[in-house]
Amino acid sequence: MERKLRIGIPKGSLQESTFAFFKKAGYEFRMSSGRSYHPTVDDPELEPLLIRPQEIPRYVEQGILDAGLTGKDWIEDNGADVEEVAEFVYSKATLNPIRVVLAAKNDSGINSVHDLEGKRIATEYVRLTERYLQRHGVHAQVEFSWGACEVKVPELADAIVVNTETGSSLRAHDLKIVDVLLVSTTRLIVNRAAWKDEWKRAKVENIAMLLQGALNAEQLVGLKMNVPKADLESITSLLPALRNPTVSPLADPNWVAIEIIVAENTVRDLLPRLKRAGAEGIVEYPLNKVIY
Amino acid sequence: MERKLRIGIPKGSLQESTFAFFKKAGYEFRMSSGRSYHPTVDDPELEPLLIRPQEIPRYVEQGILDAGLTGKDWIEDNGADVEEVAEFVYSKATLNPIRVVLAAKNDSGINSVHDLEGKRIATEYVRLTERYLQRHGVHAQVEFSWGACEVKVPELADAIVVNTETGSSLRAHDLKIVDVLLVSTTRLIVNRAAWKDEWKRAKVENIAMLLQGALNAEQLVGLKMNVPKADLESITSLLPALRNPTVSPLADPNWVAIEIIVAENTVRDLLPRLKRAGAEGIVEYPLNKVIY
Amino acid sequence: MERKLRIGIPKGSLQESTFAFFKKAGYEFRMSSGRSYHPTVDDPELEPLLIRPQEIPRYVEQGILDAGLTGKDWIEDNGADVEEVAEFVYSKATLNPIRVVLAAKNDSGINSVHDLEGKRIATEYVRLTERYLQRHGVHAQVEFSWGACEVKVPELADAIVVNTETGSSLRAHDLKIVDVLLVSTTRLIVNRAAWKDEWKRAKVENIAMLLQGALNAEQLVGLKMNVPKADLESITSLLPALRNPTVSPLADPNWVAIEIIVAENTVRDLLPRLKRAGAEGIVEYPLNKVIY
Amino acid sequence: MERKLRIGIPKGSLQESTFAFFKKAGYEFRMSSGRSYHPTVDDPELEPLLIRPQEIPRYVEQGILDAGLTGKDWIEDNGADVEEVAEFVYSKATLNPIRVVLAAKNDSGINSVHDLEGKRIATEYVRLTERYLQRHGVHAQVEFSWGACEVKVPELADAIVVNTETGSSLRAHDLKIVDVLLVSTTRLIVNRAAWKDEWKRAKVENIAMLLQGALNAEQLVGLKMNVPKADLESITSLLPALRNPTVSPLADPNWVAIEIIVAENTVRDLLPRLKRAGAEGIVEYPLNKVIY
Amino acid sequence: MERKLRIGIPKGSLQESTFAFFKKAGYEFRMSSGRSYHPTVDDPELEPLLIRPQEIPRYVEQGILDAGLTGKDWIEDNGADVEEVAEFVYSKATLNPIRVVLAAKNDSGINSVHDLEGKRIATEYVRLTERYLQRHGVHAQVEFSWGACEVKVPELADAIVVNTETGSSLRAHDLKIVDVLLVSTTRLIVNRAAWKDEWKRAKVENIAMLLQGALNAEQLVGLKMNVPKADLESITSLLPALRNPTVSPLADPNWVAIEIIVAENTVRDLLPRLKRAGAEGIVEYPLNKVIY
Amino acid sequence: MERKLRIGIPKGSLQESTFAFFKKAGYEFRMSSGRSYHPTVDDPELEPLLIRPQEIPRYVEQGILDAGLTGKDWIEDNGADVEEVAEFVYSKATLNPIRVVLAAKNDSGINSVHDLEGKRIATEYVRLTERYLQRHGVHAQVEFSWGACEVKVPELADAIVVNTETGSSLRAHDLKIVDVLLVSTTRLIVNRAAWKDEWKRAKVENIAMLLQGALNAEQLVGLKMNVPKADLESITSLLPALRNPTVSPLADPNWVAIEIIVAENTVRDLLPRLKRAGAEGIVEYPLNKVIY
């Protein structure tokens, strides 16, 4: 009998980038129709469900899902007792992790959590905020906010607890960050019982390895170049120490070919130096996955 | 000093039709920029705020807003103690009122509220649902649902409480309506203290009159026709009894002009009859507002 | 028991303007979902079906539909034996009727139907074209064209038979009109048996009257003005003779109010003249329907 | 032989609203194809050309165009010697006229034209700005700016001369208005020689009258109501003094019908008062044109 | 003199994916303007024409085209006598081939071709359907359908013959597949005389090879990894037997580099196994073309 | 202290392809908000400004910018004294360079610059055109054109000087090219003083090298294949002589692996030949950058 891993995929603004992320890892999801929340996937051992990231920790904890991809912020807000198998940094706009912050108007007198005594706070993170206040011994009214919180200050709330990636929405609403409650990244979580099931655990570990391999590849590129044997040492000394390069012989015995994987964001400094040090025919090529 | 009425406008799917509705009533709202939640309006006595309809009852009750437009469903869910000044029927798609319903899979055994004992219900209307279950002496787990509820049955919930206008989303998910908790229309609500302030009350009453006048006009048209005096009685007998027609003399003493306001949806039956009864030069024209 | 008239609505490029046309006449169609070909309508006596205009004549002739709206071109191409109840001139772009034309390259030697002997003609109107050739005693190969014909000349066909409204697509492909086979307008057609059914006939006649009333109104406007009694005759002499104006007394006994329905495209000449002849407070207002 | 008036229509952001404006006046323009700058119009006596508003004054002055619609700002910048026949206030966003302003950063020391000595100014209005500086005896470098000026301060220019309708772009770039060089509205201009031609002058005057009639109608509505004869005087005293209402007898001798044209933005105050004063069946209807 | 191969490209829903397919093969098509049906291509030896896939077999058979890309379904429907040079599986949505099926309502009594006697069938495949019925000795009325067939059952037709890729449109219309007439893929076809021309045949064979190479590459990826010499045998035994891997020496004599081309859909199973077997620095990279 | 290079990026139609070009080179630009003209970039040593290409030469010459990317046409029109560091050929539509041409109606008598004496010329390139006329001793009126010039001939101008890439806009307006004033490509320009600053010069040279590397890679691909040692010479003789291939030993001593970088547009001829000459497992893969 075929086994299935039931996995929660975060519905909403991260949905498309999550599908793209899985595609790079080798799993192709497809919406079977406009309304459906059961995407199809080309792996018969997976049963994906599109669910709001806020709810995934709850359903994984309860065992309704075996596993799920969601943010650390919602795991914490739910206080969910789940296994965190892997951490990924990816988002729509940047590679910055999400921060859950306490924010207030720039010109308000609120400069720390202690200035919130007796105030009203609007947030989607009601439980996270209440625990935060409790830890600091502050009493304030925490109201669940259905829509964007930024607009509510100061008329409808004194402060807010929201997530932010670049801070641009806060700046646009003349808000300052008073405190950071949490730095959040995406996590692959698993139900505690499912984690003890050998088949499910192996399945989740494979998914984690392939997702990580795809994420690595986004920030890495391959480099090949031809190098005079005489310059080999000086040129390899320029290369990042992370991994040894592959050195292959060439037809011309005075030259060798070097191949190495490097971080993409080092290339623009590295290439001019390699060229000046005598490397020739330097070629950069793209990668799909890298597994160390 | 200029006085202001602070009024909540429902943000979200009804926003554009609400703006259009107010425009017909004579108030022109404009988004001052993409991010802003403070639309401008060409009446200096109004200070509008765009707020989720779920939250408007709470803010009106607390006096943070003087008045607001929102659904009866959210007034009830909040259990808000506010003055309901007027009721309007308008929506994106139809003139049907919204119904808040209990729904379950067609092939589930759930046929009444009493079949919910011990089940799990997903809803955005947590408080409304809890009071409903309590009234019927049923104990069930009510979970707040961040996203669309329809998809959650039967895997993540046994039943749902959702609003529906045409029922098409329920049908598309193979769900049946088990019970109707509430029939909801849009209401103009006012804070109890504001309602006792003479200026605010007059301001709210004027807005209600103009909104109602615009809504009337959407379903009415003006008719003019020339009628032989000899046929006047037989023709007027065809007209709806609602209001007396305006009858004006014409240059030709054997003819008179009749003018009347009628419901638009009666016109397609009325016009052929009027024509056959002898009316000539029948003209239908559009209306902006009608105040009885 | 409720009776129903089954009516074919032309699916495709004219669909939206046909819906808008019926809406002006007082019938509101709505697509019940993206895929559906059974629009809903707010008249329980109508059962509309969205069908390609090419096929409507055939289905009306066979009695599968009681009535339908389609072009004269397709009635002729089908050679359908149906009752034509009304003719309407409306389209996406202009008020020009559609012409079905024989076209060839500007620099081809084809200047009349007689130059087609032995040639190849691409067309969607296979039967219409074959009858046309037969009438002129010309033998040519007529090929059904799945896609746009204009592109096929001269490589894939020597000449084409296509419909055209403004001729712009022909000009863009360097084609000339060699002959006009048919001038086509939209027709309301009825099955011969249905036309003999009293209820169906009355229903169709009402629809025709209201559609015609809406179409009239698009090209007419209402005018009102105040006129010194002394100038009444000279001013009324400027008005189109079509219908007598409504003349009403005013409070000031030296003035009267005149009201009249005129063609919109005469207004820009008429208004300056009326103003110069002494009319005051000239007001033009829009109309929904006009039934003479 | 048919005569033609060659008229320049402002190409660009105002194009669609200009077409809509002419359509209300009774002239329907149509782009004959995507690329064309010769729109068609349903008046054979008009030959329209789509031209940038900056260039229309020059071409009208030179007689290449007989007439044109353009802004006062560009007439002044060109220093064009033309006849201004009519002035219209309309735009994409608001009814505010355009202002051509001198602007600088909020925190710059530039507070009047005299602070510009030796500075660099970026503008599309090079000639207007140079004359303005000359009038104030200030010497500064005026540079033609191809793109948006707002971004250039302070890195690429010390101050700018730009047009603004709502000031929102200036605010968004942290700029203050230092001085207003010109308040600009749309003008209908005519070549001096064409203005002396009787046919052309009459044609232009008719166009001006109809455009003005359409513009009037946008800000006016018709009101009808039934009034007890006893309250006639008190009710008419509420009406704007601008024009006498049309008072018509009704079948019931104790009531009369009143009809009047009023400014749309007075209606929301007027209607509640009329209703309270005893008017019944108050109906507001839209207008196409109003010519006093 | 330069020779040309005139090739038909399927116009319509497959057009963009066909252009993308050729681009991967090394031929860049460009629409020279919106209306044109003569795309340009960066190979002077090709003369492409955009033609409906239904018509390509006819024109290739007649020699108006030398070659063309079209579906097996239309080759069969035309009964065209052409040379089929290559078969490709690609489409907009999936890698499934197209099936031409006979379909009827789920609740109809039609369960095999023999239930069609005397019925009405709507289809775009008139000839294919007639031959199919004839083969089974069934007499039925086959009607050409201009628009979508699915909607016609049961009111306008008893059954339909349509193509389907995923079956979703059939399911959405509550239709079942009664029989499969044909499984269709895309074919590169050549005119019989052109196939005997040496230059044209070589040209077509090259195109076929490059298209196939591009299609191969879409489903393959390159893998590189470093492997301890001691584990080489056990690791290579995990690799697909299809082709021998390239094994290269490395600087460290205890390690070798392995490079191999594998099917992309095997990677997600293969990578975890390779890693566990001792491979390091596993890199997957994308391919443009693969020619065995 | 961190140094910065202030660089002008051409705002407008080339903006997106310029951003994409820099991204391939390793620099990621991001618009920080809709209005901003200061994109962010992931290199802290760069300070980019979005400026119209027409103005970049002026600002680089004046030292307001250190460097900029713009067209040779605008460098010439400005007569700017700047250092041209690199030349790139890329554009929205094709790899054709831009030409600045003198154009006139096909049927005008204008066939050379000498036919322009006393005529009126509309252009965005006023200075370039005036110098061109002066060189040829021709006197004509050169008028700055705010909008598209093509439409102005012959009514508003006798000839125009415009840039063109494919000539399609000229053909569409029935214009012929009379003379070519300039063939223009994109240049990386540097202020003369900045070029003497060692840090800025190295920074600019690195940018130029990486941009060139990315541009090279767009037109190149990598090829790998396995070759019998016996055929090695005959196969390498088929390869472009540009660079020596990398030849690596394989496990099977009778075969070697060849790897080479070739121009993408040679591949469709090369691959069939290689295959026929005995190469196996031919793989083409994409490249990010190539630096010779």
Side-chain angles (χ1 to χ4, degrees), chain E residues 181-195:
Chain E
L181 282 72
L182 188 77
V183 175
S184 177
T185 52
T186 301
R187 306 292 165 100
L188 178 59
I189 57 174
V190 187
N191 174 269
R192 293 245 178 253
W195 191 238

Side-chain angles (χ1 to χ4, degrees), chain E residues 30 259 285 288-289 292, chain F residues 93 224 250 268 275 282 284:
Chain E
R30 234 178 248 280
E259 185 155 3
Y285 62 94
N288 287 346
K289 295 195 190 77
Y292 297 114
Chain F
K224 296 174 186 181
L250 285 177
R268 66 188 182 216
K275 165 102 170 133
I282 308 172
E284 179 196 316

Side-chain angles (χ1 to χ4, degrees), chain A residues 10 12 33 35 37 51 56 66 68 88-89 92 96 110 112 136 151-152 159 189 216 239 259 276 279:
Chain A
S33 95
R35 281 174 181 283
Y37 294 75
I51 299 179
I56 287 179
D66 294 315
F88 305 108
V89 178
K92 272 180 304 183
N96 301 332
I110 300 174
S112 88
H136 289 88
V151 61
K152 295 190 164 170
I189 57 175
N216 291 340
L239 298 176
E259 184 156 3
R276 284 176 196 126

